Amino acid sequence: MKHVIIGNGPAGVVAAETLRKADPGATITLIGDEPEPPYSRMALPYLMMGEIDEAGTYLRKGQDHYARLAIELVRGRAGAVDTGARRVRLDGGASLGYDRLLIATGSHAIRPDIPGIDLPGVHVCWTMEDARRIIARAAPGARVLQVGAGFIGCIIMEALVSRGVRLTVVEMGDRMVPRMMTPVAGNMIRSWCEGKGVDVRVKARVTDIRRAAGDALLATLDSGAALEADLVIVAAGVRPNIDFLRGSGIDCGAGVTIDAAMRTNVPEVYAAGDVAEGIDPSTGKRAVNAIQPTAVEQARVAALNMAGRQVASHGHLTLNVLDTLGLVSTSFGQWWSEPGGQTAELIDQGEFRYLSLQFAGDVLVGATSIGLTEHVGVLRGLIEGRVRLGPWKDRLLQDPLRIMEAYLARAQAAA
Ligand SMILES: Cc1cc2nc3c(=O)[nH]c(=O)nc-3n(C[C@H](O)[C@H](O)[C@H](O)COP(=O)(O)OP(=O)(O)OC[C@H]3O[C@@H](n4cnc5c(N)ncnc54)[C@H](O)[C@@H]3O)c2cc1C
């Protein structure tokens, strides 16, 4: 059996290792288009903070790890998949045949269509090479303009602030993390960041970036304001790497469409990680859940099925845990309020504590929290388990902090 995996991030690596255990005699080839050994993007902020070196980001430390497992590493970029002939065509002309194929190509950072976005000194923060470029410019006292305050934007702020830069964040939404946090939560995170000395501008867009004196850049906002910066970091969202699948017959929505076994619509082709679009059990709708724990779990399920086992996933709850300059926030499932749903909300602005619960009938379907890390497991358990809360729903509407009691009373009793 010949297994080919396109993409050597956490999903590709975990899939290769799982395959090796489950299918000892198989041939396993892992294709990656970056020059580094397989590494974790999650570790890049620690590299930028100087807490680890580049080798510290590598997913596996032993130099001979892949050779020992007889996992063949191929450096190259998959340009097309011929699902009829079962071949992956690499840029440059080479091609590889497969019996079973896993697509684990992750996502890429979006560069919005802004004049000047490709100037030197304007970078996304997605790859090792991006991190090197940011480190080179983000010297103490440097003026850094970050475009976007979403998930990745918030994660990298800590690294930037720790480098002693003067940071301005421009976000076009009306609050920080607008696609993951309620208005109250997004604004609470904003005032936390402002308290740490970050200049946060919401409802603002960068319309143009130009060269200023020397190496500096000048960004113009839609308000007409102009901001000078030594470095511009673009954190404006990510998109799955699916373009090379055009014409392959593999169904894609926002990402590669997968079923509970991580199968695509094409026989013997699977997908996992940031590139895949599975079902979120809290909404029943398709979603790309671009976080590392989901990537790794999907990879494990895909690999077991590729090895001939029958394994199904229950779907992956949309789940975000964010540490923004030391303030921990979470959002789960359908965190926003829907017409006809009911919401319980606790706001403690002074202590930076917040909890919002969303109900459909007597089932908790989503939640947002700030500074209440002790409740994370309970919230997840109630939402994922679609636990019927019965009389506890009304108690939670009165006092959402009773969530732990509700969990003990309902979820554990049911178990
Ligand atoms: C700065 C930063 C911080 C993050 N922090 C967190 C965090 O705290 N928590 C969290 O859960 N997640 C975090 N993430 C997200 C996390 O890194 C991703 O969810 C995870 O990397 C997904 O793994 P993957 O294997 O699906 O994709 P990737 O890690 O993106 O790996 C895919 C690999 O495939 C390669 N590839 C793409 N196309 C091709 C092709 N055509 N041919 C060959 N190779 C190809 C890519 O270059 C890449 O090396 C962070 C991401 C970044 C950038």
Side-chain angles (χ1 to χ4, degrees), residues 44-334:
L44 296 179
Y46 304 97
L47 176 68
M48 295 195 287
M49 284 192 251
E51 288 186 5
I52 53 171
D53 60 10
E54 287 195 4
T57 70
Y58 297 167
L59 285 164
R60 302 294 178 257
K61 307 299 179 214
Q63 282 197 339
D64 62 345
H65 175 78
Y66 301 97
R68 238 179 346 96
L69 294 177
I71 295 168
E72 185 198 9
L73 296 180
V74 170
R75 166 99 191 271
R77 182 169 180 73
V81 176
D82 182 341
T83 48
R86 295 201 178 162
R87 293 198 82 77
V88 176
R89 312 224 176 263
L90 302 185
D91 289 354
S95 80
L96 289 162
Y98 65 82
D99 296 312
R100 292 197 176 128
L101 175 70
L102 177 67
I103 299 158
T105 46
S107 347
H108 62 276
I110 298 170
R111 277 181 176 265
D113 196 10
I114 299 171
I117 197 87
D118 293 320
L119 282 173
V122 182
H123 301 292
V124 297
C125 181
W126 194 250
T127 64
M128 184 81 85
E129 186 52 32
D130 297 330
R132 287 183 196 127
R133 292 191 173 139
I134 290 169
I135 289 168
R137 284 214 176 213
R143 298 157 301 171
V144 177
L145 170 62
Q146 182 179 300
V147 183
F151 181 63
I152 299 296
C154 283
I155 289 174
I156 62 179
M157 282 173 65
E158 175 106 45
L160 294 171
V161 168
S162 83
R163 294 186 67 80
V165 306
R166 286 180 281 157
L167 182 60
T168 303
V169 176
V170 172
E171 164 58 51
M172 66 182 186
D174 61 352
R175 57 190 188 273
M176 290 183 72
V177 244
R179 283 180 296 279
M180 277 179 200
M181 297 280 158
T182 63
V184 174
N187 284 316
M188 201 178 266
I189 296 172
R190 175 188 174 184
S191 53
W192 174 269
C193 293
E194 287 171 339
K196 300 274 174 187
V198 180
D199 177 3
V200 183
R201 319 247 179 129
V202 295
K203 293 192 203 159
R205 281 171 192 266
V206 172
T207 54
D208 171 75
I209 306 169
R210 292 164 202 226
R211 271 187 177 285
D215 247 4
L217 297 153
L218 187 71
T220 309
L221 307 190
D222 53 357
S223 62
L227 294 170
E228 226 181 269
D230 303 298
L231 167 66
V232 176
I233 299 179
V234 180
V238 300
R239 196 167 288 147
N241 291 321
I242 52 174
D243 285 357
F244 73 106
L245 297 174
R246 208 170 291 134
S248 67
I250 299 168
D251 279 349
C252 294
V256 179
T257 309
I258 49 169
D259 68 9
M262 310 298 135
R263 282 182 302 240
T264 69
N265 63 311
V266 173
E268 315 302 356
V269 181
Y270 298 73
D274 278 13
V275 75
E277 194 184 37
I279 298 284
D280 177 337
S282 71
T283 58
K285 294 185 183 147
R286 290 204 167 275
V288 176
N289 189 204
I291 58 170
Q292 186 158 317
T294 300
V296 164
E297 175 55 14
Q298 289 180 339
R300 197 186 63 81
V301 172
L304 290 173
N305 286 303
M306 289 167 78
R309 312 263 175 91
Q310 308 280 319
V311 182
S313 150
H314 300 299
H316 292 89
L317 178 68
T318 303
L319 188 168
N320 300 291
V321 180
L322 199 54
D323 181 342
T324 315
L325 299 174
L327 184 67
V328 177
S329 56
T330 61
S331 69
F332 301 84
Q334 187 230 288

Side-chain angles (χ1 to χ4, degrees), residues 8 47 375:
N8 62 356
L47 176 68
H375 295 311

